[in-house]
Amino acid sequence: DAGVTQSPTHLIKTRGQHVTLRCSPISGHKSVSWYQQVLGQGPQFIFQYYEKEERGRGNFPDRFSARQFPNYSSELNVNALLLGDSALYLCASSATQGTFRSETQYFGPGTRLLVL
Amino acid sequence: AQSVTQPDIHITVSEGASLELRCNYSYGATPYLFWYVQSPGQGLQLLLKYFSGDTLVQGIKGFEAEFKRSQSSFNLRKPSVHWSDAAEYFCAVVPGYSSASKIIFGSGTRLSIRP
């Protein structure tokens, strides 16, 4: 079975530009979460989506937005890129049986974004 | 403030030696606890998780972790490490009050294996 897939694998942008990252969850999984991992740190929670609705949001500015599609895939959008947005962006999916806290999340390989 | 602390930034052990990676959390209620491993250039793989019940949890690849409420700790152990265990290890929690799968990660411990 295919795991969580993310595209692109690497991306280089300049300050002020906009970027869209994509994620396809494991087949049958209905929840997608996004994390930002800055070099040398642990991942930080950005968003969780379940059944196309935002379920949770981390402490990130409004420049960050996301959405989930009917097939449960997801996009993360970042506007007005800053140098500090350079990071590995991880997507995770979970099956979700209603108890979100206990769900096991399966992570994709990530998209490495470099902002120049 | 809620936090997960991994006090060891980098640990080096000899192949075949035992391993213990430390993790402390600060929450009022019992959180949901996880250990993840991240190999270079890879995503995160779940090693084990604790929700309730037996405080000694067995995971994949021969790892285990023990939840100690009195010490607010969830240390990861392995009796004999292999060179392939070299990676970054993250302790993580989902707060008991959370309505979402918001995982809070520690800053990680990098494990190196000495031949």
Side-chain angles (χ1 to χ4, degrees):
Chain A
D1 287 342
V4 177
T5 59
Q6 294 185 244
S7 63
T9 55
H10 295 81
L11 204 52
I12 299 176
K13 292 285 189 179
T14 56
R15 282 176 297 176
Q17 285 189 312
H18 163 270
V19 68
T20 298
L21 311 181
R22 295 177 175 83
C23 171
S24 292
I26 292 171
S27 178
H29 283 194
K30 298 182 178 180
S31 176
V32 170
S33 297
W34 288 95
Y35 292 80
Q36 180 196 63
Q37 185 177 17
V38 174
L39 194 63
Q41 297 181 19
Q44 280 196 293
F45 174 79
I46 309 175
F47 289 109
Q48 182 188 24
Y49 275 76
Y50 172 64
E51 291 283 13
K52 295 174 288 182
E53 291 191 1
E54 184 180 300
R55 182 76 188 185
R57 171 185 283 259
N59 188 24
F60 280 80
D62 292 342
R63 299 185 295 108
F64 289 77
S65 64
R67 55 179 176 167
Q68 187 177 32
F69 299 99
N71 66 353
Y72 303 111
S73 67
S74 177
E75 283 182 356
L76 175 70
N77 295 283
V78 187
N79 292 323
L81 284 167
L82 303 174
L83 297 180
D85 295 330
S86 296
L88 179 68
Y89 288 84
L90 295 163
C91 173
S93 78
S94 57
T96 301
Q97 294 156 351
T99 308
F100 293 95
R101 294 191 300 270
S102 64
E103 290 292 333
T104 295
Q105 294 192 43
Y106 298 87
F107 284 81
T111 293
R112 189 163 297 280
L113 172 66
L114 176 61
V115 182
L116 301 176
Chain B
Q2 305 122 9
S3 65
V4 178
T5 303
Q6 294 182 249
D8 303 306
I9 297 174
H10 183 206
I11 284 182
T12 299
V13 300
S14 298
E15 190 169 15
S18 64
L19 170 71
E20 183 169 28
L21 301 182
R22 297 183 290 166
C23 172
N24 293 95
Y25 64 91
S26 63
Y27 292 99
T30 301
Y32 294 78
L33 297 159
F34 306 83
W35 274 99
Y36 282 87
V37 61
Q38 186 176 37
S39 298
Q42 303 293 314
L44 294 159
Q45 182 181 23
L46 179 67
L47 287 175
L48 47 79
K49 58 186 179 183
Y50 172 78
F51 293 156
S52 64
D54 193 351
T55 56
L56 185 62
V57 181
Q58 301 298 319
I60 63 171
K61 302 184 180 185
F63 286 93
E64 67 178 24
E66 186 172 13
F67 170 60
K68 293 184 177 179
R69 183 189 302 276
S70 61
Q71 298 176 20
S72 297
S73 69
F74 189 57
N75 294 348
L76 181 72
R77 300 194 295 246
K78 186 170 185 178
S80 176
V81 297
H82 186 263
W83 64 266
S84 61
D85 293 325
E88 188 92 20
Y89 290 80
F90 293 95
C91 180
V93 302
V94 173
Y97 61 80
S98 176
S99 62
S101 302
K102 176 183 177 180
I103 303 179
I104 299 174
F105 287 88
S107 55
T109 297
R110 184 160 62 94
L111 175 65
S112 297
I113 306 298
R114 188 184 303 118

